[in-house]
Amino acid sequence: MSYVGPDFDPPQPRRSAVRRPLTVAVAAVVVGAVAGWGVWQAVGDSGDGAGGPTGATGPQTRPATTPPASGDPTASGDDGTGDGSGADGGKASPSGSSSAPAATGPLKGKIVVIDPGHNPGNFQHTTEINRKVNIGTNAKECDTTGTTTNDGYLEADFTLDVARRMRTLLQQEGATVKFTQDGDRTWGPCIDERARIGNEAKADAVVSIHADGSGTGNRGFHVILPGSVNEGAADTRPIVAPSRDLGERITGYFVRATGSAPSNYVGGGTGIVTRTDLGGLNLSTVPKVFIECGNMRDSKDAAQLTSGAWRQKAAQGISDGITSFLEN
Ligand code: ZN
C-alpha cells in the first residue's frame, strides 16, 4: 500500500474503488480492453488478483531463504527494472537471443524482446547496480535488486521463469525471441542497456516482466505504459500509442489466462498505469510495456506467483497479448 517506493509514481490511487466487487474491476478492464480492440467477453473472476505496486527500495543483501522477520515489503522499487547502461558489469554474453528454430507461424519475422526484471546477482553487486545512469529525464540507479516473497522467493527468479515460459510459447508462434538477460551474467544489465537491447534488436514488441513488492492486502496485476517524454535521450512520443495498444491487449489476455483481477491499489481498477519515471520505458524507441504480475508481499498473490502452474498461465496471457498486438 505504501506508495512510498521511490520508483512509484504518485498513482491515481482510488484504491477504495478498486476494492469493491471484483466485477467492478473486471468491468473496468473489459471496458479498457474493448476500447482498444474488444478482445474478450468473458472474464473469469477467480478473484485472485495479482500484482502490486512497485515498492520501495529493496534489500541490499540477498534475502535469506526464510521469511523476513517483518512483513515489511522490502520492495524493490522495482520497476526500476532496469536496463541500463550496464557498461561494465557482469556481462557475459549478450544475453540471449535465442531465436526460435526455424519459425513458421503467425509471428514469423516478428522480433519480441523479453526483459526479465532484475537479476538474482544484483544482491551481491550493490555498488554496480546503484551507479546512476541517464534515463533522459534524470539520473537513476542502474538497476535494483527486485523484491521477494515473505518466504524468500526472489522476484528475479520469478521474472526469469515467466520469461522463459513466454519464449517457448512465442517461438511456437514463429517469433524470434531475445532476452535482455538469461541468467547468464552476474548482475544487471542496467536499465538503459535493457532499453538499448530492445532498440537495437528493432523489436516489434518488448515486455519487461516484474512482480511488485507492496503491502499486504494490495493485490492484482498491472501493466505500466510509457507516458509521453521528450527530454534528453528520451523521446517516447512515437511509442506511446502502440505501447498502449500492446499494454491493453496484454491486460485483457492476462485476465483471461490467469483469472486474476487488476490491481486494487493502482490504476483505478483498469490494471493499467502510465509512468514517465522508468528508464526502461523512457529510453525505448520501440513499443514496450512493463507488467507487474502480482504483489509478492501479499500472501494470496504470493501463493500464485510461487506456483509453476500459475506462472504458466501468466506467461500464456502475456504471450497472447503480444501475439494479438503483432497480428494486428
Ligand atoms: Zn521489478
Side-chain angles (χ1 to χ4, degrees):
M1 47 184 111
S2 44
Y3 289 106
V4 245
D7 287 308
F8 214 72
D9 286 322
Q12 324 85 335
R14 299 198 14 160
R15 340 170 164 166
S16 53
V18 185
R19 275 217 200 203
R20 264 186 261 155
L22 192 60
T23 42
V24 171
V26 170
V29 172
V30 173
V31 169
V34 170
W37 21 279
V39 170
W40 88 81
Q41 284 77 24
V43 173
D45 56 341
S46 68
D48 329 303
T54 69
T57 26
Q60 298 298 302
T61 47
R62 182 166 186 145
T65 329
T66 46
S70 78
D72 179 52
T74 317
S76 48
D78 74 295
D79 68 346
T81 358
D83 28 14
S85 60
D88 11 81
K91 12 187 82 181
S93 59
S95 75
S97 41
S98 54
S99 36
T104 55
L107 301 187
K108 180 174 169 53
K110 299 293 188 182
I111 298 169
V112 177
V113 169
I114 303 174
D115 176 38
H118 316 285
N119 181 322
N122 284 357
F123 287 96
Q124 282 79 45
H125 293 272
T126 53
T127 302
E128 293 91 336
I129 67 168
N130 287 334
R131 180 170 61 80
K132 297 287 178 62
V133 298
N134 184 347
I135 66 164
T137 49
N138 59 292
K140 193 165 178 179
E141 288 76 18
C142 148
D143 201 359
T144 62
T145 58
T147 189
T148 77
T149 64
N150 292 335
D151 288 332
Y153 178 55
L154 297 181
E155 179 188 355
D157 290 333
F158 169 83
T159 65
L160 193 53
D161 180 81
V162 171
R164 287 172 173 164
R165 293 171 188 272
M166 287 173 59
R167 176 167 58 198
T168 299
L169 294 168
L170 290 164
Q171 286 179 340
Q172 287 169 351
E173 296 298 312
T176 295
V177 179
K178 300 185 178 188
F179 277 23
T180 57
Q181 58 96 0
D182 193 7
D184 51 0
R185 46 182 295 159
T186 55
W187 60 270
C190 296
I191 52 178
D192 55 339
E193 183 180 353
R194 288 176 191 260
R196 191 160 55 243
I197 290 168
N199 297 345
E200 292 181 352
K202 295 183 167 50
D204 295 291
V206 184
V207 178
S208 187
I209 310 299
H210 290 264
D212 215 348
S214 186
T216 297
N218 285 345
R219 300 197 59 196
F221 76 93
H222 66 277
V223 171
I224 304 172
L225 311 179
S228 183
V229 173
N230 178 25
E231 189 175 346
D235 183 0
T236 60
R237 294 171 298 174
I239 67 161
V240 165
S243 297
R244 170 166 288 277
D245 184 22
L246 172 64
E248 288 180 344
R249 290 171 190 272
I250 290 173
T251 301
Y253 280 101
F254 193 85
V255 170
R256 190 166 76 171
T258 65
S260 293
S263 171
N264 65 7
Y265 56 94
V266 286
T270 63
I272 292 179
V273 173
T274 298
R275 294 177 60 168
T276 56
D277 63 324
L278 300 181
L281 294 179
N282 285 5
L283 299 176
S284 185
T285 58
V286 292
K288 181 172 181 178
V289 300
F290 281 32
I291 181 166
E292 296 281 0
C293 295
N295 175 17
M296 300 199 93
R297 293 292 174 168
D298 177 86
S299 59
K300 290 177 182 171
D301 273 12
Q304 298 178 321
L305 297 164
T306 54
S307 157
W310 189 89
R311 292 194 299 273
Q312 184 64 30
K313 292 178 184 176
Q316 184 73 57
I318 300 166
S319 299
D320 286 349
I322 293 170
T323 298
S324 169
F325 172 74
L326 294 177
E327 286 180 327
N328 283 275

